[in-house]
Amino acid sequence: SGGGNGQAQAPAGDTINIGVNFELSGDVATYGQANVQGIEMAAEEINAAGGVDGKQINLIKYDTKSDTAEATTLATKLMTQDKVVAVIGPATSGATKATLPVAGQNKIPVISPSATADDVTVDDKGVKEYAFRTCYSDSFQGTAAAEYAVKKFSAKKAVILRDSSNDYSKGLADAFRTTFTEGGGEIVSEDAYAKAADNFNAVMTKFKGQEFDVIYLPGYYTEAGKAIKQARDLGITQPILGGDGFDSPVLGEQAGAQLKDVYFTNHYSSEDQDPKVQEFITAFKAKHNTDPNAFNALGYDTMKFVADAVGRASEQTGEGVQKALAETKDFEGVTGTFSVDENHNAVKAVVFVGYDQGGALVSEKG
Amino acid sequence: MSTILEVTQLTRSFGGLTAVSNVDLTLEQGELVGLIGPNGAGKTTVFNLLTGVYPPSSGTIVFSSPGQTQSLGGKAPYAICRAGVGRTFQNIRLFKQLTVLENVMIAYQQNQRYPLATSFLRLPGFRRAEDEIREGARELLRVMHLDHVADELAVNLSYGGQRHLEIARALATRPTLLLLDEPAAGMNPTETAQLTELIRQIRHDFGLTVLLIEHDMSLVMQVCERIYVLDHGIVIASGTPDEVRANPRVIEAYLGEEVDHA
Amino acid sequence: MEQLAQQLVNGLALGSIYALIALGYTMVYGIIQLINFAHGDVYMVGAYVGYFCMVHLKLGFVESLVIAMAVCTVLGVVIERVAYKPLRKSTRIAVLITAIGVSLLLEYTMMFFVGADTRTYGVLPPFMEQSFQFGGVLVSMKQIIIVGISVLLMVVLQYIVRRTKIGKAMRAVSQDADAARLMGISVDNTISFTFAIGSALAGAAGVLVGVYYNAINPLMGLLPGLKAFVAAVFGGIGLIPGALLGGYFIGASETLVAGYWSSLYTDAVVFAILILVLVFKPTGLLGKNVREKV
Amino acid sequence: MLEIKDLGVSFGGITALKGISLSVNDGEIVTLIGANGAGKTTTLRTVSGLIKPRAGHVLVDGKDITRMSAQARVKRGLVQVPEGRRVFPQMSVLENLELGAHLRKDSKAVATDLDEVFTRFPRLADRRKQHAGTLSGGEQQMLAIGRALMSRPRILLLDEPSMGLAPLLVQEIFSIVSEINATGTTVLLVEQNANMALQIADRGYVLETGRIVLSGTAAELTSTDEVKRAYLGG
Amino acid sequence: MKNSLVRQALMLWLPLVATYVIVLLLVQANIIDAYMQVTLATICINIVLAASLNLITGFTGQFSLGHAGFMAIGAYSTALVSMRWDSVFGFLGGLLLGGVLAALVGFLIGLPTLRLRGDYIAIATLGMAEIIRILLQNFEFTNGAAGLSPVPQYMDWTWFFILTVGSVMLISNFIRSRQGRDAIAVREDEIAAESIGVNTTRSKVLAFAIGAFFGGIAGGMYASYFYVIKPEQFGFLKSVDILVIVVLGGLGSLSGSVIAAFLLAIISTLLQPFPGVRMILYALLLIIIMIFRPQGLLGNRELSLRLLPRFGRRREAAASGTEEA
Ligand SMILES: Nc1ncnc2c1ncn2[C@@H]1O[C@H](COP(=O)(O)OP(=O)(O)OP(=O)(O)O)[C@@H](O)[C@H]1O
Ligand SMILES: Nc1ncnc2c1ncn2[C@@H]1O[C@H](COP(=O)(O)OP(=O)(O)OP(=O)(O)O)[C@@H](O)[C@H]1O
Ligand SMILES: [Mg+2]
Ligand SMILES: [Mg+2]
């Protein structure tokens, strides 16, 4: 990726400027870049099909360097100098939150494909008018996972291993813990690793000395793949549960043959025979020579979601688009069909995707 | 005359090597005393012990300044300096990237203190104190014939200039005892003769007691009133220049036969 | 007890990797007093070269290891000649900033070509996936390979530095480059040689990590680079045995803290120990505290 | 044997050497005297290849070596004892001496030379395991000279070897220089101690602010008034 | 004498006040638009960060790799206090608390570690900053990895101006005072400094704590402007960024730090249109600048314009000229 930028100015009136404000370098470039791959693919498709209302979409892409201050700076630039009608991104919750005051001041909506923290779209003062997202909130997934653990595995005891350096992981872990213990379960041990950790032998060795039914591992595939493999290598056999951060071919590549008895909450399953999903997977594979991950899919949906709103908007301004976004009903995306609720969250069904004890891909709707 | 420095049984070893061994040394107020001896005899080490660069392995150093007599052994170098002992270094150690004036000001200001708040906020006393420091430092530069290069960086001075600056900086701490480590090293005979005069003069003008290490016998024999001779860390002789010059042990260990012609 | 033994095995493997990287740090530091921030990124490049060899060229592990070491050797020398050599007479901090520049350059050039996402080494030859049980303690073949290769490389290195002429030349250059020239030593070649060896070790570490964790990405050098630096300082920077000691110490303390307390605090504890060590032994555990003679 | 032609050196804005020419014949001791900052050290460093001149040439045995690297010059037998000793401080005395023989392959002869250095400087023998950085100034000077001898120089460049030495040692160093010279080594000697230097030298040059202002045999120079006044303290 | 004092005051204050008023007017007229305002804010914060680190590293010669840690302390103090006490006094109280806490931590860590030599201090300060970050990540009251938001935004141009100019002036006053000269002497030659009566430990710790204080202030400015703070923003790379500004501007040159902060903002803006290769270009630039200007833009000189009457006269070190590498 990382190719050209969409700054080429087409004649005014014929294009719709949309800001793409992502972590393309720095710590969390993985997620930013993945989102952008999806966004760019969707934009190309839309433009090839004639654009929105006959206008081409012009993406203006910036790199926040995974720095929240820079995210704010660039969002401001997009909104004030580049005259975009909407800004997609950043990928992470903190950075997204940092751009929201600017969004409010300039009345331009910010839509994040993957900012999952509960308070991205709402805070004590209520819903943030110009904040949207297309992913689940953390508590939604954590709760679903806890229910699944009890229902499917009759789990009574769980251990949690989370990523100490991101709030996504913390949010999922908190929700899981609450739901699981409320349902009578017990968290026997909990630990956290730092971002980019490689070595899980120590913590897994520690877990191994304990009695439990499931491991909840809310984190991203980048570390989860290693953690799963090291756990299985050490002879830990209990089921491992995770969230949509697992969704990437890299998870399987890292865990290799040890990807067994692993389940995670997700937006869709690549097994899903819905033509929309299959088309997306095929097209993505053709373009990037690898299977898409959740970030790709969410980026893709977000672009389409924004384009859809722009098409429906009464006027092509930030305010117009904001209204249209808020009114979205039954939008059919790759990551599920969703409507925007009063808290500006995308309400969609959860899918449990997993690899059973033989490593075969399974999925069930939640 | 009163005793200003009284060193008894001073010893320092490095690993297995005893660089300074049971040295006794006394300086009377106002004296100009030489410390000579072969290379590696332990002269610089004695200076380092006197100024706190190394703590002594054993022995005592008692220093009397007007109104106070104190033991210097184990004290930090800055405290010893504030007590009134100034020094120069064998291997010149100037603040190379600062100007000549700044070099001296920094030494001078140690006795011209004003509080931190004054510095931050430029309170009224600031300018006056600064002016005093600057003027005091300039005055010393004049004494050491360095006033014309006050604004040069120290590193750009000639070797001789740097040696002079070391002395000026030491004087700026207002010592009562001045330790000079090979002040004439790297100077040619003509320059050495001028330096000899200068040392006499500052001793007189500043009322100093001076202890001097030097290998240039023309300088030592001319200015020193008494001389200690060190060899292998031990004092092998002491006395007036003539006594020392005639001492066979000194001739054998240090001076060699031909010294008379030099 | 069993668990402790298991944790120590884990720590040994981890420590070997830190030690390998730390050696490069220490050698470069020893000779030109440069904290070579790009060193961790050379390790990253090594991991990618190994990836390319094993996954795309389908080469064996040993061949890949050798190729990665060779490529990193060249890379290290090129970096030194292009980016550091012009700064020989500048302040060390200027070179440090250049090193940071080189580090960013390697990271983002790599990211430009392969993307930010994690790559995996894929399926390894079956012999490498074996593991052995020693009375409840599980030791994997990969761990044995890592420790074995690391120790071998370190022994070779120690021999070079202690026993050969080039080793003595390295030490001479590190203490006084001009005087070394007057002995007939080619300072430039000696420095390049140091970078070559250090980088080769980093390259080896990169491949070993790729095999061990089966996951690499363009920013993977950052953290281990930092920890290796800590390891080097811990043992006494500039000292080869110090780097070893530091590497193993950090490996062990990380696994023990994670195993008996919480992974949350591994890094904090490592740094706290480091600071304590420095306070009581200001030149690192093996460093000699030579006060400058005045 | 060694010839310097119109050598010019500058550092940034400062011109240290303004076209210097001098020559040293086979088997001679030639001394270069001058005040602080005259450019003596700069001359030696340029000859040994540590500084690249702006203009001029350095010739050894008639061959132009101006572009040759420092280490290649050592190979040709041009060896410098630098100002300020420059021993390797964290290495032992022995290691320092061994480094002097870095380019030599004849390990037997190296061993004999090592013994010879130790006989010449017994104090170094006493301290062979000590780190050179902790030696006294005089000890370091002996080490620096010994180290240079280890490479069996044909032309020895000495920069103020007597600086900081005890009188006895000054005499000794000068007699060593004479001895070394007698065994066939050509010497270019830079000295502040002009008295002694002129005593052992065959010829001499006087350097003032980057220019050669006087030259002649040692005897001629010693009797010149200017030299007497400025450098001999007379 | 009196006259020259008045003139000096005029020459110092007049341009400053004029700058303040002009920018204020331009902001109001929206000629300095929102984007430029954010950029300006970043520049101001970077100036304070760089000036304070320069005091530690450039003037006192203590190589610190942990400045982001002090920034974090300031940012979290300001955020926590002003979130609970949402008023300008809460903001200022938090800011001050942040500075004082940072100075305290600087003092505590400095006391034992500042007797270490060069690179060992670097690693000790790096360790300190990492410990701070990890603690912030794990404390409940700092809300862990998610960090704190919304931080009430009190920073506006007026505050930026006051705090930036104030910090730089105080630091500059310090440097050009007795205590500052002591610190510089320590940088130049510690043993010599001790030998002329400078209490080197005290000198170093003092400079370190003052640098930490202003690092904390910068952190507070950051928190109160950028709305969200998270521990990961104050990692090792942030410390490196600050160091880059300092070295680029010139170690030991405050005006160099100021200029470098502007320059980096300009470079950053110029590179924004190339998101894919931005970091590659930045890295190349960094290397090239260092190769051609290793002493930084201003070396250790100050850009005077006679605005800041300087401490003595200072010329560049004798250039190393043609010496062979
Ligand atoms: N820090 C140290 N570590 C080990 N040995 C030391 C140290 N400082 C000095 N020495 C040893 O102590 C002895 C005395 O050294 P010192 O420098 O005092 O000699 P000196 O009399 O000043 O000689 P010179 O006239 O050559 O300067 C020497 O043999 C030296 O090697
Ligand atoms: N590396 C350098 N950078 C800048 N200037 C230098 C450098 N080396 C020497 N100089 C200058 O060149 C001139 C000649 O210096 P040089 O060291 O050759 O003198 P010298 O005759 O050896 O003096 P001394 O008797 O003090 O050793 C001096 O003005 C000196 O300041
Ligand atoms: Mg001495
Ligand atoms: Mg010289």
Side-chain angles (χ1 to χ4, degrees), chain A residues 164-206:
Chain A
S164 69
S165 43
N166 73 65
D167 40 341
Y168 160 76
S169 190
K170 182 169 186 283
L172 261 62
D174 289 347
F176 182 92
R177 192 186 312 105
T178 311
T179 312
F180 194 72
T181 45
E182 274 170 6
E186 185 195 349
I187 309 290
V188 290
S189 181
E190 189 166 343
D191 205 343
Y193 56 86
K195 185 176 164 47
D198 282 325
N199 196 322
F200 298 89
N201 282 323
V203 63
M204 289 302 175
T205 304
K206 180 171 72 177

Side-chain angles (χ1 to χ4, degrees), chain D residues 41 83 159-160:
Chain D
T41 299
E83 184 178 46
D159 199 345
E160 301 203 28

Side-chain angles (χ1 to χ4, degrees), chain A residues 136-161:
Chain A
Y136 312 116
S137 67
D138 291 338
S139 51
F140 182 75
Q141 278 196 76
T143 305
E147 285 162 356
Y148 191 69
V150 174
K151 195 179 77 185
K152 171 128 185 179
F153 305 107
S154 320
K156 301 230 163 14
K157 290 179 175 176
V159 294
I160 297 178
L161 178 63

Side-chain angles (χ1 to χ4, degrees), chain C residues 2-294:
Chain C
E2 216 168 70
Q3 200 182 350
L4 179 67
Q6 180 75 61
Q7 295 291 23
L8 286 177
V9 168
N10 298 339
L12 191 66
L14 187 62
S16 295
I17 290 166
Y18 287 146
L20 270 186
I21 312 176
L23 281 172
Y25 253 110
T26 269
M27 289 176 59
V28 167
Y29 184 90
I31 197 158
I32 51 172
Q33 274 73 48
L34 164 69
I35 301 171
N36 182 14
F37 268 104
H39 191 67
D41 300 293
V42 172
Y43 148 86
M44 175 274 292
V45 171
Y48 271 92
V49 173
Y51 162 79
F52 185 76
C53 289
M54 287 173 77
V55 174
H56 292 283
L57 301 182
K58 309 262 181 274
L59 295 178
F61 168 70
V62 178
E63 294 95 308
S64 306
L65 185 75
V66 172
I67 293 176
M69 287 174 72
V71 171
C72 287
T73 303
V74 175
L75 179 67
V77 172
V78 169
I79 291 174
E80 194 279 318
R81 289 272 150 133
V82 175
Y84 302 154
K85 189 169 164 228
L87 289 159
R88 265 312 134 67
K89 297 272 167 182
S90 312
T91 54
R92 290 174 38 210
I93 208 158
V95 197
L96 180 81
I97 301 293
T98 314
I100 291 168
V102 172
S103 161
L104 291 174
L105 186 68
L106 290 178
E107 285 167 11
Y108 288 103
T109 310
M110 185 58 86
M111 199 184 273
F112 183 78
F113 286 110
V114 304
D117 206 358
T118 303
R119 300 282 162 137
T120 55
Y121 268 47
V123 183
L124 298 172
F127 84 92
M128 295 183 72
E129 294 289 4
Q130 283 169 311
S131 53
F132 311 93
Q133 193 87 26
F134 294 100
V137 179
L138 203 64
V139 181
S140 73
M141 190 65 182
K142 284 186 287 191
Q143 286 173 328
I144 296 176
I145 290 176
I146 285 178
V147 176
I149 292 184
S150 309
V151 170
L152 179 74
L153 290 176
M154 294 183 233
V155 170
V156 171
L157 179 69
Q158 185 70 356
Y159 175 79
I160 292 176
V161 174
R162 285 277 140 203
R163 297 262 177 268
T164 63
K165 259 193 167 169
I166 182 86
K168 214 167 259 168
M170 285 163 65
R171 288 163 61 209
V173 170
S174 75
Q175 292 172 29
D176 191 332
D178 267 351
R181 269 195 196 99
L182 294 178
M183 303 296 107
I185 294 168
S186 166
V187 170
D188 287 334
N189 290 346
T190 309
I191 293 178
S192 291
F193 181 77
T194 311
F195 270 87
I197 295 195
S199 305
L201 294 180
V207 180
L208 292 176
V209 156
V211 171
Y212 192 35
Y213 297 132
N214 195 20
I216 60 175
N217 71 71
L219 301 182
M220 68 186 276
L222 211 67
L223 213 58
L226 204 61
K227 290 200 180 141
F229 173 33
V230 171
V233 172
F234 181 87
I237 193 159
L239 303 173
I240 287 173
L244 281 188
L245 182 71
Y248 283 113
F249 173 81
I250 291 188
S253 41
E254 278 189 2
T255 35
L256 293 181
V257 173
Y260 292 97
W261 185 16
S262 163
S263 317
L264 280 176
Y265 294 104
T266 47
D267 290 358
V269 170
V270 167
F271 278 113
I273 296 179
L274 175 82
I275 292 176
L276 281 181
V277 166
L278 288 184
V279 165
F280 291 106
K281 190 85 182 36
T283 47
L285 273 189
L286 300 187
K288 284 213 186 62
N289 198 358
V290 272
R291 170 130 191 172
E292 204 179 342
K293 183 180 185 296
V294 295

